[in-house]
Amino acid sequence: MELKERILDKVREYIAADESYDDDAQITINPESLEVGLVDGEEADGLPDSIDCYPAMDFVEMTADGSWIPDKEAIASAAEEYAG
């Protein structure tokens, strides 16, 4: 699975259960393994410095009817940072 798809999966997981996470939920990416995670902000504070963290809200956008959807452009942009 491509990194972009793994990020998208975690963003969808966040949207589906956003009330299960604190206001500072983070999408995490391990630059070495490209493993993607989803954690509360407090959990992210305890992660090693080698793990990159992005606010989950950076990867969502609101539709005109007020529902959250993945921001595919932001997800693609983040994934491109690891292309190489």
Side-chain angles (χ1 to χ4, degrees), residues 23-53:
D23 290 342
D24 193 28
Q26 301 284 309
I27 301 289
T28 62
I29 301 174
N30 180 328
E32 290 181 22
S33 67
L34 298 181
E35 182 180 335
V36 180
L38 173 61
V39 298
D40 281 327
E42 285 185 20
E43 286 180 78
D45 290 342
L47 293 174
D49 290 340
S50 61
I51 303 296
D52 296 334
C53 295

Side-chain angles (χ1 to χ4, degrees), residues 15 18 57 59-71:
I15 291 170
D18 67 327
M57 289 301 294
F59 296 114
V60 299
E61 57 188 348
M62 187 175 280
T63 64
D65 69 357
S67 46
W68 294 108
I69 60 169
D71 183 339

